[in-house]
């Protein structure tokens, strides 16, 4: 198989990065995927506790659009990780570690959503897109988002 020479490729706008940089990018994405569900669960648990005082598996299943056994499996993972505790006949509660994780996740979400809104994205789309993006941006990128948002909204 012969490959075209770089000069033969019309309008080529991308170049492969070096191997180590490529590896680091994929490692970051895989790490984000591993923590994404846990982040989403603790964030929703915190929101539900804040609004209703407690959380039950059936409510989590309804809001995530998954089965109760799927929720039960994730709650077990969260408990083993020390992020939640479950009390029979009472529901799910966050540990201090879970509360801290929920707060960080909520702050990341709000930063990304505010940035998208400042760019002119509609509120509905910004909310949905922030749900995925919040897990995949670095702290450096979040800092830039914060600074941009503060400059765009002088009342901040």
């Amino acid at each position: 198989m012969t490959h075209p020479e770089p000069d033969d490729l019309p309008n080529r706008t991308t170049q492969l990065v070096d191997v180590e940089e490529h590896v680091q990018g994929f490692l970051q994405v895989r790490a984000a995927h591993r923590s994404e569900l846990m982040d989403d669960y603790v964030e929703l648990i915190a929101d539900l506790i804040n609004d209703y005082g407690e959380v039950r598996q059936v409510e989590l299943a309804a809001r995530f659009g998954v089965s109760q056994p799927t929720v039960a499996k994730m709650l077990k993972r969260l408990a083993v990780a020390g992020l939640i505790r479950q009390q029979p006949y009472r529901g799910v509660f966050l540990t201090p570690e879970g509360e801290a994780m929920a707060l960080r996740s909520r702050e990341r979400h709000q930063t990304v959503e505010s940035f998208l809104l400042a760019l002119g994205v509609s509120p509905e789309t910004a909310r949905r897109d922030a749900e995925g993006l919040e897990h995949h941006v670095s702290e450096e990128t979040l800092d830039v988002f914060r600074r941009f948002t503060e400059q765009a909204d002088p009342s901040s």
Side-chain angles (χ1 to χ4, degrees), residues 83-126:
L83 300 170
I84 66 160
R85 59 184 166 72
Q86 293 179 275
Q87 294 180 341
Y89 311 109
R90 290 273 332 272
V92 179
F93 299 91
L94 293 172
T95 63
E97 294 81 8
E99 289 174 5
M101 182 183 209
L103 179 61
R104 285 190 309 272
S105 184
R106 170 63 56 217
E107 288 172 350
R108 290 176 71 84
H109 182 102
Q110 288 172 339
T111 298
V112 173
E113 188 172 340
S114 295
F115 175 74
L116 295 173
L117 290 169
L119 292 177
V121 175
S122 72
E124 299 80 21
T125 301

Side-chain angles (χ1 to χ4, degrees), residues 41-102:
Y41 268 79
V42 296
E43 187 178 351
L44 179 57
I45 290 167
D47 290 346
L48 291 170
I49 288 171
N50 188 48
D51 285 358
Y52 302 112
E54 64 181 22
V55 180
R56 299 195 185 279
Q57 283 188 28
V58 65
E59 181 70 17
L60 291 169
R63 290 188 179 262
F64 281 120
V66 298
S67 68
Q68 285 192 52
T70 297
V71 170
K73 183 177 176 182
M74 177 54 75
L75 293 178
K76 186 173 185 174
R77 270 182 69 193
L78 294 172
V80 167
L83 300 170
I84 66 160
R85 59 184 166 72
Q86 293 179 275
Q87 294 180 341
Y89 311 109
R90 290 273 332 272
V92 179
F93 299 91
L94 293 172
T95 63
E97 294 81 8
E99 289 174 5
M101 182 183 209

Side-chain angles (χ1 to χ4, degrees), residues 9-69:
L9 297 173
N11 302 321
R12 183 172 178 169
T13 59
T14 61
Q15 269 188 316
L16 282 175
V17 296
D18 76 15
V19 173
E20 188 57 34
E21 192 174 337
H22 224 151
V23 167
Q24 291 307 311
F26 285 114
L27 288 173
Q28 181 178 331
V29 169
R30 285 195 298 273
H33 283 306
R34 280 192 300 275
S35 68
E36 190 169 357
L37 269 177
M38 293 174 77
D39 287 345
D40 286 343
Y41 268 79
V42 296
E43 187 178 351
L44 179 57
I45 290 167
D47 290 346
L48 291 170
I49 288 171
N50 188 48
D51 285 358
Y52 302 112
E54 64 181 22
V55 180
R56 299 195 185 279
Q57 283 188 28
V58 65
E59 181 70 17
L60 291 169
R63 290 188 179 262
F64 281 120
V66 298
S67 68
Q68 285 192 52

Side-chain angles (χ1 to χ4, degrees), residues 120-136:
V121 175
S122 72
E124 299 80 21
T125 301
R127 186 182 63 253
R128 281 193 308 269
D129 288 352
E131 190 56 53
L133 292 171
E134 71 184 88
H135 305 288
H136 296 274

